[in-house]
Amino acid sequence: MKMTSNILGGLLFVGISLFILLVIPDQVQASSQVGINAQSFPRWIATLMLVCSVFLLVNEVRLQRKNGSINISAFNVDFKKEIRAVLFIVLIVAYALATPFIGFLFASMAFSALALLFFNITNIKFYIFLMVCCVVVHYVFKFLLLVQLP
Amino acid sequence: MDNLFIEGFIAFFTVSSFVYLNLGLLLGLVFGSIPGLTVMLCLVLFMPFTYTMDAIASFMFLLGIYCSGSYGGSISAILIKTPGTPHAAATMLDGYPLARSGKPKKALLTALYASGFGGIFSALVLLFAAPLVAKIALNFGPPEYFILCVFGLLIISGVSSGNLLKGIIAGCLGLLLSTVGMDSISGVFRFTFDDFNLYGGLNLVIVLIGLFAISETISNASKYSKTVKYASIKTDDNKDDVLPLKEFFSSYLTLLRSSVIGTVIGCIPGTGASMASFLSYDTARRNSKNKAAFGKGSEEGIAAAESANNAVTGATLIPLLTLGIPGDAAVAILLGTLMINGLTPGPNLFQEHGVEVYAVMIGLIVINIFMLIQGRLLMPFFAKITKVDFSLLTPLIVIFCFAGTFSINNTMYDIFVAIIFGVVAYVLIKLDFSPIPILLGLVLGNLTEMNLRRTVTMAQGDWFFVLSRPASLALIAIFVSLLVWFAYSRLRQRSLASKTEEQIA
């Protein structure tokens, strides 16, 4: 059996819906035990999600058994692409962590420079342009929109 | 109505309305024309700017983005054979061949005029039809609203993902996210995990920024390659490269037909501009005297696709303003803006805030007129806009996201929530789940739950209660027939899109 996006997605949402169904009694206090209460809607929706996820899984397995898995493309992970994505996420998280310590303006400038390095940009004009943009965004939010940026 | 119309006109006719609508139009044009940047992204990024504006100005600003973004997608479709928006794919079928034959300005002007025509047509329909629909909707009770919500969610789930099951699962996730925080009926907290930051629920804008903007930047970062080059077309002066208005209006029947198709489709929640543009392109081709020209640079083809997709913009506001049901993801953001300004969409909106609603509807007509002016003036710059480097845009989008997210509650917590949603959306997109049903589930969650709970209470265990109400029965009948028609036209749209793209390639 090939690991397709339907199988992975189905498994993921079976897990999520089971988790939700499991935590509902703890996380949602039922105001009354009879009739519809605050637990009902999330429980029904989580059950619907579970049913759809199981159906997605069963349907995919049935299709693979019926047609063979020759014509079905497996879920391919392009590691080069995903490493870039993970690195960029790390960069964003680092930007968020640095902001309260060095302030929005300097954190944004550092993030812009690192992002351009990430994209292998050597043209100095790009760096200058983004630095100016950081100052403009900071000015607009802080002084025109009166947002107390860190 | 006459009084409201005049008062609405006066309320709209302010300097701030004109400034913000023009600013919105410019941003929409830029975002729509750059492949990879979407109208959704533009709306999400600039929504925090509307917090300091009044209801009319903020709506003008966002509607300007929405309308011109819809046209902007055709610019890159015509000039570099890369649709800036999904519905511009139909425009590309004839726009790019016409541009390649040495008439890029003619192609761009046809798209612009047709967009303006479709936009003004649907804005006029909105102005006259919305009050009537609102009057009918006043008779709707919880069961009817619940049916409307389920229908909207179901259609959007089916349209946005290739797989209906995946769409429903994503919609369920959105509905579950909407339950986080205090339950508005019983007052108990749900899924807060003892974190006081979650007591008020998840903020729509923060989730939006994560789902649509941060995920987009992660995706761009993973795909970025310096070797990507667009096959652009030079927009040098060419004597034949003009479009006299007489020539444009020679295909008035196509324009009218396509505008009607776009308006009708736009009124149905969840259908969207892609469906309208492909359906009207197909209809125009079948009714054209010059069928052979389609796919080879037919002006009629461009006009059909563009007038239909811009006719959707006004029509999607009909279910939004009258029923509170957003027709697509972009309109869901407009719904958020209305609510931030204390305007709760629904039939009562016309009675409680009639002046503002009429101002918005009149403003939509003006927006389309200014879109024609801006589109005409900025045409020389379009070729440059389409080539903006992604390495510049990606960090800039993240910076905007951070500033915009922080501005909502002045807390870093929100930024981390946005990042989490960005990463979740990136993973889900990789697994072929669309974030659009999540957004719609989140937006409609409260309305759906409230009306479901009220319906169940009203029914008192009688499951045939809903069918005993004529309005509910009529809605169910309409929706079942729409679902059948919708499934049929989807199949038709898909076969046409693949057939015509094969021809072009």
Side-chain angles (χ1 to χ4, degrees):
Chain A
M1 194 172 67
K2 278 186 180 172
M3 271 293 164
T4 61
S5 68
N6 284 355
I7 293 201
L8 286 172
L11 285 171
L12 176 72
F13 279 99
V14 164
I16 292 174
S17 41
L18 283 176
F19 171 75
I20 290 165
L21 287 170
L22 208 70
V23 298
I24 281 176
D26 181 48
Q27 284 297 315
V28 185
Q29 202 184 6
S31 42
S32 66
Q33 291 306 317
V34 281
I36 194 163
N37 57 41
Q39 287 185 350
S40 312
F41 187 70
R43 181 172 286 138
W44 292 342
I45 297 298
T47 310
L48 176 65
M49 194 156 91
L50 179 66
V51 171
C52 288
S53 309
V54 170
F55 199 73
L56 185 71
L57 276 171
V58 171
N59 206 27
E60 181 69 16
V61 172
R62 193 180 57 84
L63 267 176
Q64 286 199 21
R65 282 206 179 149
K66 193 178 165 190
N67 304 333
S69 49
I70 305 151
N71 294 327
I72 297 167
S73 54
F75 180 76
N76 281 324
V77 178
D78 181 345
F79 282 104
K80 208 174 168 188
K81 258 187 174 185
E82 299 318 323
I83 284 174
R84 285 184 66 85
V86 171
L87 278 175
F88 197 72
I89 293 167
V90 171
L91 204 58
I92 294 175
V93 173
Y95 173 31
L97 290 172
T99 303
F101 298 103
I102 58 172
F104 177 79
L105 180 61
F106 292 111
S108 301
M109 284 175 155
F111 170 74
S112 303
L114 288 170
L116 287 176
L117 284 174
F118 175 84
F119 290 124
N120 294 324
I121 300 294
T122 48
N123 190 340
I124 193 78
K125 282 181 194 166
F126 279 46
Y127 288 84
I128 296 169
F129 176 79
L130 273 186
M131 296 303 135
V132 173
C133 283
C134 290
V135 176
V136 171
V137 171
H138 183 255
Y139 178 82
V140 168
F141 273 89
K142 193 148 193 172
F143 299 105
L144 295 183
L145 297 175
L146 305 174
V147 175
Q148 290 305 309
L149 288 170
Chain B
M1 183 198 157
D2 289 347
N3 276 347
L4 281 175
F5 184 88
I6 295 163
E7 283 175 46
F9 188 81
I10 295 165
F12 161 74
F13 215 84
T14 58
V15 177
S16 68
S17 293
F18 282 90
V19 169
Y20 287 121
L21 76 86
N22 275 296
L23 201 61
L25 283 168
L26 181 67
L27 289 166
L29 271 177
V30 172
F31 271 70
S33 60
I34 299 173
L37 294 189
T38 59
V39 182
M40 273 298 291
L41 180 66
C42 188
L43 286 168
V44 169
L45 285 181
F46 289 96
M47 196 181 169
F49 283 88
T50 62
Y51 293 165
T52 51
M53 301 176 195
D54 62 75
I56 297 169
S58 59
F59 224 70
M60 288 301 106
F61 178 64
L62 295 178
L63 272 180
I65 294 175
Y66 182 44
C67 291
S68 66
S70 207
Y71 159 66
S74 68
I75 298 168
S76 54
I78 290 169
L79 293 179
I80 57 172
K81 208 187 173 187
T82 310
T85 49
H87 50 257
T91 311
M92 185 184 73
L93 297 175
D94 279 297
Y96 185 70
L98 185 62
R100 205 169 48 176
S101 68
K103 293 173 183 170
K105 277 181 194 162
K106 194 171 196 170
L108 286 170
L109 283 173
T110 308
L112 176 66
Y113 294 160
S115 294
F117 186 91
I120 292 170
F121 181 90
S122 73
L124 287 170
V125 173
L126 169 74
L127 189 62
F128 292 107
L132 297 175
V133 179
K135 264 186 195 166
I136 297 168
L138 276 173
N139 300 316
F140 286 0
E144 288 78 29
Y145 270 103
F146 176 66
I147 294 167
L148 278 169
C149 290
V150 172
F151 175 74
L153 279 167
L154 199 66
I155 291 276
I156 287 161
S157 303
V159 174
S160 49
S161 308
N163 185 325
L164 178 66
L165 277 175
K166 283 185 166 177
I168 295 174
I169 293 169
C172 286
L173 183 64
L175 288 171
L176 284 168
L177 289 172
S178 76
T179 63
V180 174
M182 197 172 75
D183 172 30
S184 52
I185 294 179
S186 63
V188 300
F189 290 112
R190 300 191 286 191
F191 306 113
T192 54
F193 296 94
D194 295 329
D195 183 346
F196 72 90
N197 289 296
L198 292 174
Y199 286 180
L202 291 163
N203 185 294
L204 177 69
V205 184
I206 295 165
V207 178
L208 273 175
I209 288 175
L211 286 180
F212 293 95
I214 298 213
S215 66
E216 190 77 30
T217 59
I218 298 168
S219 179
N220 287 337
S222 69
K223 282 187 290 199
Y224 182 77
S225 163
K226 279 176 116 178
T227 55
V228 174
K229 286 241 173 354
Y230 296 119
S232 63
I233 281 168
K234 285 180 184 173
T235 49
D236 293 340
D237 282 337
N238 172 359
K239 278 182 186 173
D240 296 333
D241 194 11
V242 285
L243 180 71
L245 279 178
K246 201 179 166 187
E247 189 184 333
F248 172 72
F249 280 111
S250 63
S251 49
Y252 68 95
L253 266 179
T254 304
L255 286 166
L256 272 175
R257 199 190 303 115
S258 306
S259 300
V260 170
I261 291 173
T263 306
V264 171
I265 289 180
C267 290
I268 306 166
T271 45
S274 297
M275 189 177 175
S277 56
F278 274 104
L279 197 68
S280 64
Y281 181 84
D282 183 37
T283 313
R285 194 174 56 93
R286 280 189 287 116
N287 289 293
S288 175
K289 289 175 189 165
N290 193 7
K291 288 187 182 77
F294 275 73
K296 293 169 190 160
S298 162
E299 289 164 47
E300 218 179 330
I302 304 172
E306 276 302 302
S307 52
N309 77 43
N310 261 57
V312 167
T313 54
T316 48
L317 295 183
I318 297 176
L320 174 78
L321 295 176
T322 58
L323 305 165
I325 310 278
D328 64 25
V331 179
I333 297 178
L334 299 179
L335 172 71
T337 310
L338 278 174
M339 289 168 115
I340 287 165
N341 283 290
L343 278 72
T344 308
N348 292 328
L349 185 67
F350 281 78
Q351 293 180 327
E352 290 162 9
H353 299 280
V355 176
E356 285 89 343
V357 176
Y358 271 90
V360 166
M361 295 194 292
I362 293 163
L364 188 63
I365 300 172
V366 181
I367 282 172
N368 279 287
I369 296 168
F370 272 87
M371 184 182 79
L372 287 169
I373 298 168
Q374 277 207 25
R376 193 80 180 80
L377 290 174
L378 298 173
M379 201 160 281
F381 303 102
F382 288 162
K384 286 173 188 156
I385 289 174
T386 51
K387 290 176 197 161
V388 174
D389 201 298
F390 251 98
S391 59
L392 273 178
L393 294 171
T394 307
L396 205 54
I397 292 169
V398 177
I399 292 165
F400 260 103
C401 288
F402 271 43
T405 309
F406 189 85
S407 69
I408 295 163
N409 294 319
N410 283 0
T411 159
M412 285 303 292
Y413 180 88
D414 292 342
I415 289 179
F416 287 103
V417 172
I419 294 173
I420 290 168
F421 274 99
V423 176
V424 169
Y426 176 75
V427 174
L428 290 181
I429 291 166
K430 284 268 153 194
L431 294 171
D432 299 327
F433 286 90
S434 166
I436 293 172
I438 304 178
L439 163 67
L440 265 291
L442 187 61
V443 170
L444 290 176
N446 196 30
L447 194 67
T448 311
E449 185 182 3
M450 292 256 279
N451 286 299
L452 172 67
R453 285 166 80 167
R454 281 178 191 156
T455 305
V456 172
T457 311
M458 282 165 79
Q460 291 179 325
D462 176 13
W463 290 101
F464 291 99
F465 163 76
V466 175
L467 295 177
S468 68
R469 292 170 66 98
S472 300
L473 207 59
L475 277 178
I476 291 170
I478 291 169
F479 292 156
V480 169
S481 23
L482 277 174
L483 280 172
V484 172
W485 173 79
F486 172 69
Y488 167 75
S489 50
R490 277 285 288 177
L491 283 172
R492 203 179 159 75
Q493 180 196 332
R494 268 187 204 169
S495 67
L496 176 81
S498 57
K499 216 186 283 176
T500 35
E501 269 170 27
E502 270 170 26
Q503 280 173 8
I504 293 285

